[in-house]
Amino acid sequence: VWRATLEHIIPVSPAANTNWMTDFSAEFRAKYTQRIGNMTLLTSKMNSAASNSDFAKKKVHYAKTLLGLT
C-alpha cells in the first residue's frame, strides 16, 4: 500500500546551497511555495528522498513515481 503525500516542488525550507536560494528571490518563494501549483503527489518514501534538494535532483525522484503527476 502506498501512502500519497503532498510534495512541495519549491521547498518550504530550502537548503542554503540549492538553486532555490540562488535562482529564486525570497519574495517569489514566499508567494508561490504554498500554492497548489507548487505541489505534486509522491509516496512518503520518495518525498523524504526528494527532500529540499535542487530541482534537478528532485526530478529524478519525480520520474520514478507511479503516482500521477499534475
Side-chain angles (χ1 to χ4, degrees):
V1 174
W2 295 328
R3 287 205 171 140
T5 62
L6 279 177
E7 152 69 359
H8 288 84
I9 297 167
I10 300 170
V12 174
S13 301
N17 61 343
T18 62
N19 74 303
W20 305 114
M21 300 301 282
T22 58
D23 296 348
F24 301 93
S25 68
E27 294 81 16
F28 181 92
R29 293 190 316 273
K31 184 175 181 179
Y32 291 103
T33 298
Q34 295 299 335
R35 294 198 180 190
I36 192 79
N38 184 51
M39 298 181 192
T40 192
L41 294 175
L42 283 183
T43 62
S44 56
K45 184 177 179 179
M46 285 187 167
N47 196 341
S48 293
S51 187
N52 297 331
S53 303
D54 283 321
F55 185 65
K57 292 179 182 177
K58 285 185 166 214
K59 286 194 306 185
V60 172
H61 297 287
Y62 298 163
K64 294 178 186 176
T65 188
L66 298 178
L67 300 172
L69 296 177
T70 55

